[in-house]
Amino acid sequence: MTTLRRLKLLLSAAELVCVAASLTAAWQAHASMEMSGLGDLDRFAFWNSIIALSLMLFFLLWVAAVLLALFARQREHFGSAARYWKHLVPDVLLPPVLLAAGWLAFVVLQ
């Protein structure tokens, strides 16, 4: 079962990389535009496409992590609901929370 656990943590790490990439690209896109709305539109479009790709990849990886967690639940017998939720935190619950917190912090700080 350690291979399954490693796969779930690998998916979680890939999701966190997507979160970091989307936030970095958002920062770069914001920096490419001036406050008057005039700026390097090609660079802005480039960084926005990076944001879109990283968010799409994040959600695809997250769906894979959810399906893997459901598969693991059918194969493993958890003693309690608390133990099951403890296994879900790094795999399924933490990456979307960090994504939302990062984007909220980005909006507040900009």
Side-chain angles (χ1 to χ4, degrees), residues 74-86:
Q74 290 177 354
R75 290 189 61 199
E76 293 180 10
H77 298 288
F78 293 98
S80 66
R83 186 168 174 239
Y84 174 68
W85 283 101
K86 184 180 176 186

Side-chain angles (χ1 to χ4, degrees), residues 1-104:
M1 198 46 71
T2 60
T3 307
L4 184 62
R5 185 74 183 147
R6 285 182 185 160
L7 181 61
K8 289 196 283 185
L9 290 177
L10 182 67
L11 279 172
S12 178
E15 291 170 13
L16 294 178
V17 167
C18 289
V19 168
S22 70
L23 291 174
T24 303
W27 177 67
Q28 289 291 333
H30 182 73
S32 69
M33 297 300 285
E34 296 174 2
M35 291 300 156
S36 64
L38 300 174
D40 190 358
L41 295 178
D42 291 334
R43 208 169 125 206
F44 182 74
F46 170 77
W47 287 114
N48 275 338
S49 66
I50 299 268
I51 294 169
L53 288 173
S54 64
L55 288 177
M56 266 193 313
L57 183 59
F58 171 82
F59 286 115
L60 287 174
L61 290 171
W62 187 72
V63 167
V66 168
L67 292 175
L68 196 60
L70 290 174
F71 173 73
R73 179 176 165 108
Q74 290 177 354
R75 290 189 61 199
E76 293 180 10
H77 298 288
F78 293 98
S80 66
R83 186 168 174 239
Y84 174 68
W85 283 101
K86 184 180 176 186
H87 276 272
L88 282 183
V89 167
D91 307 333
V92 178
L93 301 177
L94 186 64
V97 168
L98 289 178
L99 178 69
W103 276 99
L104 184 64

